[in-house]
Amino acid sequence: YVKKLEDAGVKALFVTVDAPQLGRREKDMRNKFTQQGSDVQGDDEDAGEVDRSQGATRAISSYIDPGLCWEDVPWLKSITKMKVLLKGVQCAEDAVMAYKAGL
C-alpha cells in the first residue's frame, strides 16, 4: 500500500502514535461512509474493496497496529523514499527518540 501511495505522488507517510485504538464514535457508525465529492479510494472502490456497511472509523481501524514500536521505525524508513513523520508525539522523551531515529 505504501508503494501505491508513493507511486501516486504522496510526499510523506504520517504515522499516528497517540491513538493505538479508536474510540466508539456512534454518530460515525450511524452515518456510514460515503464518497460524495471525493476520489480518495478510487481504485479500491472500482475493485469492489470498499465496505460501506460500517462507519469510517471502523473501516480505518484495520490500518491501526497497537503493537507499533520504536524498533519498527527503521523498517518503515526502508520501504519508502517518502518522509516518515510522526503525528501525536506526547512527551519530550518520545520527541528525542524520534529525533535519534532520524524522523
Side-chain angles (χ1 to χ4, degrees), residues 32-35 41 45 50-55:
K32 308 292 187 235
F33 171 79
T34 66
Q35 190 184 358
Q41 294 178 314
E45 187 165 43
V50 177
D51 180 359
R52 296 192 181 282
S53 66
Q54 55 194 350

Side-chain angles (χ1 to χ4, degrees), residues 20-58:
Q21 182 174 344
L22 295 175
R24 182 175 173 87
R25 299 177 182 183
E26 293 181 5
K27 183 177 180 183
D28 176 62
M29 293 163 60
R30 287 189 304 272
N31 289 334
K32 308 292 187 235
F33 171 79
T34 66
Q35 190 184 358
Q36 294 173 333
S38 170
D39 192 26
V40 173
Q41 294 178 314
D43 294 338
D44 292 338
E45 187 165 43
D46 294 340
E49 297 176 15
V50 177
D51 180 359
R52 296 192 181 282
S53 66
Q54 55 194 350
T57 301
R58 184 173 174 110

Side-chain angles (χ1 to χ4, degrees), residues 4-6 11 13 18 22 31 49 55 57 69 76 79 92 95:
K4 179 180 175 181
L5 294 173
E6 189 173 67
K11 303 291 184 202
L13 176 63
D18 63 343
L22 295 175
N31 289 334
E49 297 176 15
T57 301
C69 62
L76 282 171
I79 64 169

